[in-house]
Amino acid sequence: MSDRSEADRLKRETLFERLVRRPEIGSFIVMIFIIAALTLASDGRAFNALGTKNNIAIIAQFGIIATGAALLMIAGEFDLSIGSMIGFAGMSMAMMLKWGLPFGLGEATPFSAFIITLAMTLTLGWIIGTIVVRSGLSSFIVTLGFLFFLRGTTEVSFRLINQSTQISGLPDYKETSWFADIMGGEVFGWFYDLWFALGGNINRKGDQWVTGFDARFMWWIILSLLAYYVLSRTQLGNWIYATGDNKDSARANGVPVNKVKIGLFMFTAFCATLFAACQVFDTNTSDAAKGNLKELEAIAIAVVGGTLMTGGFGSAIGVVFGAVTVGLVANAVFFIPWIDGSWFRVFVGTVLLAAVFANERIRKRITGGI
Amino acid sequence: MTQPYMRVEKLVKKFGPFTALNEVDLEVYPGEVHALLGDNGAGKSTLIKILSGVHQQTKGDIYIEGKKQNFRSPREASAAGIGTVYQDLAINQLMSVTRNFFMGREMTTMFGHMKMDEMNQIAHDEMLKIGIDFSDPTQAVGTMSGGQRQTLAIARAIYFGAKVLILDEPTSALGQKQQMEVLKTIKRVRSRGDIAIIFITHNEIHSKLVADRYTFLALGQVIGSGSKAEIESQDIRRLMAGGAEMKDLEQELANL
Ligand SMILES: Nc1ncnc2c1ncn2[C@@H]1O[C@H](COP(=O)(O)OP(=O)(O)OP(=O)(O)O)[C@@H](O)[C@H]1O
Ligand SMILES: [Mg+2]
């Protein structure tokens, strides 16, 4: 009795037990299940050369905005303006490319259009964040305001300057601009070259079928690695967790809570702008309705990935699993012709609810409730 | 007689027309536990909020090692070596022991990269020094007991340079056994010899178990103070009740 110490009461866990207790485990299992189900139901077509590319394209789109949404949620705030920000940023870039830079600065290049747009969206993110921390209002309501404000601004600007709410037929800037190419071009061609060399990836004529992934795949990987590193290994990550867990005690310990929040609102604006840039330079088009509902999908993916609605807890790896899951289901209709596409929303709703319950269990376990 | 690390002279605090503290004197010595006692509303929390820079006094002075120093912010107070552990402890439940220990003061290399292994080691060693052998500093604080959380908050304050450790009712929300753990922790910090502890409590027994010196507050004024030897245990009971005789209180109760 007397030589028992507090430390002995904590059971040493095996590697397997540790893995099972990780917060990402739920989203990982769901992801594996979806991959298996989709492979079977589509006779493997979902993961042939073209299927893989198309799946990755939508997964990366989801992943980019969900990473931003998740970091912000970990810090205890929401951003409902992500979707409208995507529409705004896409409009801004396409319009500059078509009609020239503002204030008579002359012709736009893809790079200058992107930089000026990014300056605007980061400013908007800063304004949103500042309003939230200064007013003490819920970010839900403040960003809901910006959801309407930005979508309306986008449509009005389109009609005033462009007469139509769509821009299409821009030249293919990927041919001439390195910047347009790293945003909208192809990456990891070696993967498909290798696949071809190994005897797959062949089209009907017997040539190489697919030549590379969409560039947003690379951006998603970079963003996810960065988010993982920041959350798990850096001071900023510690501040993000502390801010979302209990901002008063974080502040009492010297964490610059307001700066963290404002910075993360700017980060979601950055993710939305990246999303829009990849889209504009891939398709050479833009449309006032782009990004619609994306903010809700981003939040759903963050939650499916194990992020707590109440803040203070979440992981970048979980968000990756969540994006893969939701992305694959969104695409399933293309590979399983007999399925009704609306099942996508039924599925996302169900998984979302299940995830919220699972996350709540995790939170209770950590805070000693179970 | 050693010099007091901190001395408070004729401290007055008014909230508008209300005098929360009236000419309060206080001396704290390194290696001693100074119990601050008094009824609800006596002004204990107000006093330590001034000492830790949360409030500013209306009149009077604070001296650190003989030098006059008045705090305009909690930051200034902590720079002067005042470490305050409030009742809510300023601890985040979902975060690990290490992340809490270094919250806001992380050890980093370039670009804010945290020295995680070193931080884990320090958190573990510092907690061990005052009594808890925590085998896994990556464990979430939410799973720790109330007493262990107190220890974490105290170890953190000491590691980050507290010379005066202020504990506001550290035992009040805990069960018997954990109260004793906190008292043991206080004793261990005391035996280091270089730290002065201000211990606020409503519990006469707790104060007798660890205190070397007492100050009693009632209605914003000091109604008694002195070393353990100078204050008789009968006195403690009477002074804690704000100067009223126990017999009188018993009589009053009986009359109801
Ligand atoms: N910010 C404030 N404004 C006005 N009055 C205050 C303020 N803070 C404290 N007081 C008053 O000052 C008096 C002393 O309060 P204080 O919190 O210091 O008491 P305490 O000794 O800590 O009591 P307890 O044992 O209940 O914690 C109380 O009457 C309280 O109402
Ligand atoms: Mg009090």
Side-chain angles (χ1 to χ4, degrees):
Chain A
M1 179 69 197
S2 57
D3 51 348
R4 271 184 39 174
S5 80
E6 194 59 38
D8 297 329
R9 296 173 62 183
L10 192 68
K11 186 167 146 270
R12 288 241 168 251
E13 290 178 313
T14 63
L15 182 66
F16 178 74
E17 280 173 314
R18 270 179 176 269
L19 282 178
V20 168
R21 283 170 65 97
R22 284 196 66 92
E24 301 92 355
I25 191 71
S27 53
F28 180 73
I29 291 170
V30 175
M31 178 181 80
I32 295 298
F33 171 78
I34 289 298
I35 291 174
L38 192 59
T39 309
L40 285 178
S42 71
D43 281 332
R45 262 174 302 133
F47 299 103
N48 67 20
L50 188 62
T52 305
K53 177 190 165 97
N54 289 341
N55 285 331
I56 292 285
I58 189 158
I59 289 169
Q61 277 197 327
F62 280 142
I64 286 171
I65 47 172
T67 304
L71 289 198
L72 185 62
M73 274 173 70
I74 293 173
E77 302 290 351
F78 287 101
D79 189 353
L80 295 181
S81 71
I82 294 177
S84 299
M85 192 72 82
I86 291 172
F88 177 85
M91 175 272 294
S92 162
M93 280 181 274
M95 209 114 83
M96 283 184 212
L97 289 169
K98 183 169 175 189
W99 299 100
L101 295 173
F103 313 118
L105 289 172
E107 287 273 298
T109 64
F111 185 65
S112 63
F114 175 80
I115 288 297
I116 294 176
T117 301
L118 185 62
M120 286 194 286
T121 52
L122 289 182
T123 307
L124 282 165
W126 180 84
I127 292 172
I128 294 172
T130 305
I131 293 176
V132 169
V133 300
R134 288 262 179 269
S135 68
L137 291 172
S138 136
S139 55
F140 180 86
I141 211 72
V142 172
T143 58
L144 184 61
F146 275 86
L147 179 153
F148 291 114
F149 175 85
L150 287 176
R151 184 67 69 192
T153 306
T154 303
E155 288 167 1
V156 167
S157 311
F158 257 129
R159 290 208 192 89
L160 279 181
I161 300 169
N162 191 54
Q163 274 77 49
S164 140
T165 57
Q166 283 182 353
I167 288 179
S168 56
L170 289 171
D172 191 4
Y173 292 103
K174 294 190 282 289
E175 311 282 315
T176 51
S177 155
W178 61 271
F179 183 77
D181 196 49
I182 59 167
M183 286 293 161
E186 284 189 340
V187 291
F188 306 140
W190 54 265
F191 177 84
Y192 279 108
D193 294 345
L194 190 66
W195 196 339
F196 179 62
L198 293 175
N201 188 18
I202 300 169
N203 66 11
R204 294 224 172 86
K205 279 188 268 167
D207 301 330
Q208 179 164 348
W209 187 15
V210 180
T211 51
F213 291 101
D214 291 339
R216 58 176 71 102
F217 186 28
M218 178 185 73
W219 293 113
W220 174 49
I221 292 174
I222 292 174
L223 219 52
S224 297
L225 287 175
L226 196 71
Y228 174 77
Y229 174 70
V230 165
L231 283 179
S232 61
R233 282 283 171 277
T234 69
Q235 180 175 47
L236 178 59
N238 213 35
W239 290 356
I240 292 173
Y241 282 122
T243 299
D245 194 337
N246 181 342
K247 68 173 187 307
D248 295 323
S249 64
R251 198 176 272 134
N253 285 295
V255 176
V257 170
N258 288 351
K259 280 190 191 149
V260 169
K261 288 192 175 181
I262 293 172
L264 288 175
F265 276 108
M266 292 172 75
F267 181 63
T268 56
F270 170 80
C271 292
T273 311
L274 185 61
F275 181 111
C278 292
Q279 200 166 50
V280 167
F281 293 116
D282 179 19
T283 61
N284 303 310
T285 62
S286 170
D287 181 328
K290 279 280 189 274
N292 199 18
L293 287 183
K294 283 286 176 280
E295 63 284 333
L296 298 183
E297 287 165 352
I299 291 171
I301 290 167
V303 172
V304 169
T307 313
L308 277 189
M309 304 289 290
T310 43
F313 194 76
S315 97
I317 302 174
V319 175
V320 169
F321 297 155
V324 172
T325 304
V326 174
L328 287 180
V329 177
N331 258 3
V333 63
F334 299 116
F335 305 109
I336 315 173
W338 45 266
I339 212 169
D340 182 336
S342 294
W343 283 110
F344 166 58
R345 270 167 259 152
V346 175
F347 172 84
V348 172
T350 312
V351 171
L352 183 61
L353 277 179
V356 172
F357 282 114
N359 293 351
E360 189 56 19
R361 244 190 99 77
I362 291 175
R363 190 184 68 78
K364 287 220 181 93
R365 193 182 72 212
I366 295 173
T367 56
I370 300 180
Chain B
M1 190 88 212
T2 50
Q3 192 197 319
Y5 181 78
M6 178 172 74
R7 191 156 54 85
V8 171
E9 253 179 31
K10 301 214 180 324
L11 210 63
V12 178
K13 175 68 187 175
K14 296 197 169 149
F15 292 110
F18 181 80
T19 306
L21 294 174
N22 193 15
E23 310 219 322
V24 169
D25 296 328
L26 186 75
E27 286 181 351
V28 296
Y29 296 87
E32 281 194 6
V33 177
H34 193 131
L36 187 57
L37 300 149
D39 230 344
N40 292 112
K44 307 180 294 291
S45 296
T46 308
L47 175 57
I48 63 153
K49 277 182 183 153
I50 293 173
L51 300 183
S52 45
V54 177
H55 290 329
Q56 276 78 56
Q57 68 268 40
T58 316
K59 254 193 275 174
D61 291 302
I62 301 168
Y63 297 86
I64 302 287
E65 293 184 307
K67 275 217 313 280
K68 190 156 113 181
Q69 234 173 344
N70 294 315
F71 308 129
R72 276 161 302 174
S73 70
R75 194 175 287 273
E76 281 185 16
S78 81
I82 316 284
T84 312
V85 177
Y86 293 104
Q87 254 178 317
D88 67 13
L89 301 178
I91 273 179
N92 281 354
Q93 298 211 345
L94 292 165
M95 293 165 70
S96 72
V97 173
T98 302
R99 281 174 179 268
N100 265 291
F101 195 97
F102 287 93
M103 195 197 316
R105 287 171 289 217
E106 295 82 1
M107 297 170 68
T108 58
T109 57
M110 268 194 313
F111 306 118
H113 179 93
M114 289 194 292
K115 299 189 227 166
M116 217 49 182
D117 293 337
E118 214 175 320
M119 284 162 58
N120 279 332
Q121 193 61 46
I122 290 173
H124 172 266
D125 293 352
E126 291 298 310
M127 306 237 325
L128 185 61
K129 275 187 207 160
I130 58 170
I132 295 190
D133 183 4
F134 225 82
S135 53
D136 183 9
T138 62
Q139 193 184 341
V141 165
T143 57
M144 294 166 75
S145 73
Q148 292 172 328
R149 290 179 207 190
Q150 281 282 351
T151 308
L152 167 57
I154 292 171
R156 180 172 68 181
I158 294 173
Y159 179 73
F160 288 106
K163 289 287 160 225
V164 179
L165 185 66
I166 303 179
L167 308 173
D168 192 1
E169 302 197 29
T171 54
S172 67
L174 303 177
Q176 277 290 349
K177 190 149 173 286
Q178 299 196 6
Q179 291 180 349
M180 288 307 135
E181 269 189 35
V182 173
L183 293 180
K184 276 191 228 160
T185 304
I186 294 176
K187 276 278 191 192
R188 285 200 195 89
V189 176
R190 178 182 173 274
S191 67
R192 289 172 48 128
D194 59 339
I195 292 175
I197 302 165
I198 299 179
F199 175 38
I200 298 182
T201 179
H202 281 283
N203 192 315
E204 176 195 343
I205 302 172
H206 290 173
S207 69
K208 273 201 252 169
L209 284 171
V210 296
D212 303 292
R213 196 173 291 275
Y214 296 87
T215 293
F216 298 89
L217 283 181
L219 302 176
Q221 293 191 343
V222 176
I223 57 166
S225 67
S227 66
K228 195 181 182 111
E230 290 159 9
I231 304 249
E232 296 281 319
S233 112
Q234 272 309 311
D235 263 1
I236 293 179
R237 191 165 293 173
R238 185 175 58 83
L239 291 166
M240 277 189 72
E245 291 292 347
M246 248 331 167
K247 280 206 297 292
D248 298 345
L249 289 176
E250 276 165 20
Q251 192 57 47
E252 249 180 75
L253 282 172
N255 289 344
L256 285 174

